[in-house]
Amino acid sequence: MRLLIQRVKEAQVAIGGRIHSQISQGLLLLLGIEESDSQEDIDFLCKKTTQIRLFNDANGVMNLSVEEAGGALMVVSQFTLYAQTKKGNRPSYIRAARPERAIPLYEQFVHTLQQLSGKEIATGVFGADMQVSLCNDGPVTIFIDSKMRDF
């Protein structure tokens, strides 16, 4: 499971020209899921997301979690995080989980994150053609792969 975390001043998801969800200050989470992912990957990434210190304290140091900063959370599925670009110029997404596997894992990720954070989680719609807009704050962007926990 791969997670791209962006600290945002605001973010929104539009579908068909209508706003589906939006947040103010917080974290926009782009989530990629592969076939081998499990609840263990979900637990690791949700815990990391709620505890990672990406918000400034009174001294201007990134020392606060999203909860401590009073920030919101948004999760958007993004299979392209599993793009393979080694050969040719057309990315391959063969490692990305098929929808029948990915949708339940995506929903479980959102549920687990809600349980850990105690917050309502804004989301996109799995498989929809979404327009995601954001104001990246900093910019701060962090990439985490649940299979590379030693780093």
Side-chain angles (χ1 to χ4, degrees), residues 2 13 15 18 54 56 67 87-88 105 116 124 129 136 138:
R2 292 181 172 168
V13 173
I15 301 171
R18 297 185 135 170
L54 297 178
N56 293 347
E67 180 181 346
K87 293 169 60 177
L105 288 170
L116 280 176
D129 181 16
N136 192 319

Side-chain angles (χ1 to χ4, degrees), residues 87-124:
K87 293 169 60 177
N89 294 316
R90 184 171 184 207
S92 169
Y93 304 105
I94 197 156
R95 287 189 53 202
R98 309 278 323 148
E100 54 274 7
R101 174 86 176 126
I103 291 171
L105 288 170
Y106 170 78
E107 291 171 350
Q108 186 60 37
F109 181 92
V110 171
H111 176 76
T112 302
L113 188 61
Q114 186 169 9
Q115 294 296 318
L116 280 176
S117 69
K119 298 177 180 286
E120 190 67 31
I121 308 298
T123 64

Side-chain angles (χ1 to χ4, degrees), residues 11 25 28 38-39 50 71-72 85 125 127 134 138 144:
Q25 177 194 29
L28 169 62
S38 67
Q39 185 65 45
T50 58
T85 58
V125 174
L134 65 131
I144 304 172

Side-chain angles (χ1 to χ4, degrees), residues 4-147:
L4 187 73
I5 302 172
Q6 295 183 312
R7 186 179 76 183
V8 299
K9 288 205 179 275
E10 60 186 16
Q12 75 175 24
V13 173
I15 301 171
R18 297 185 135 170
I19 295 174
H20 173 75
S21 62
Q22 58 187 356
I23 62 170
S24 54
Q25 177 194 29
L27 298 176
L28 169 62
L29 310 171
L30 302 176
L31 179 67
I33 301 169
E34 69 176 328
E35 289 293 330
S36 66
D37 288 333
S38 67
Q39 185 65 45
E40 183 178 340
D41 298 289
I42 291 169
D43 292 342
F44 171 76
L45 289 176
C46 286
K47 183 177 179 185
K48 185 63 80 173
T49 298
T50 58
Q51 295 180 357
I52 196 165
R53 298 182 296 172
L54 297 178
F55 294 89
N56 293 347
D57 62 16
N59 296 318
V61 177
M62 283 196 293
N63 203 27
L64 301 176
S65 68
V66 67
E67 180 181 346
E68 293 166 328
L73 294 162
M74 176 181 279
V75 180
V76 175
S77 62
Q78 188 160 357
F79 73 93
T80 59
L81 287 173
Y82 276 99
Q84 292 181 332
T85 58
K86 186 174 182 178
K87 293 169 60 177
N89 294 316
R90 184 171 184 207
S92 169
Y93 304 105
I94 197 156
R95 287 189 53 202
R98 309 278 323 148
E100 54 274 7
R101 174 86 176 126
I103 291 171
L105 288 170
Y106 170 78
E107 291 171 350
Q108 186 60 37
F109 181 92
V110 171
H111 176 76
T112 302
L113 188 61
Q114 186 169 9
Q115 294 296 318
L116 280 176
S117 69
K119 298 177 180 286
E120 190 67 31
I121 308 298
T123 64
V125 174
F126 191 96
D129 181 16
M130 298 176 277
Q131 289 69 53
V132 179
S133 59
L134 65 131
C135 179
N136 192 319
D137 183 17
V140 174
T141 303
I142 306 289
F143 178 76
I144 304 172
D145 187 320
S146 66
K147 303 298 192 261

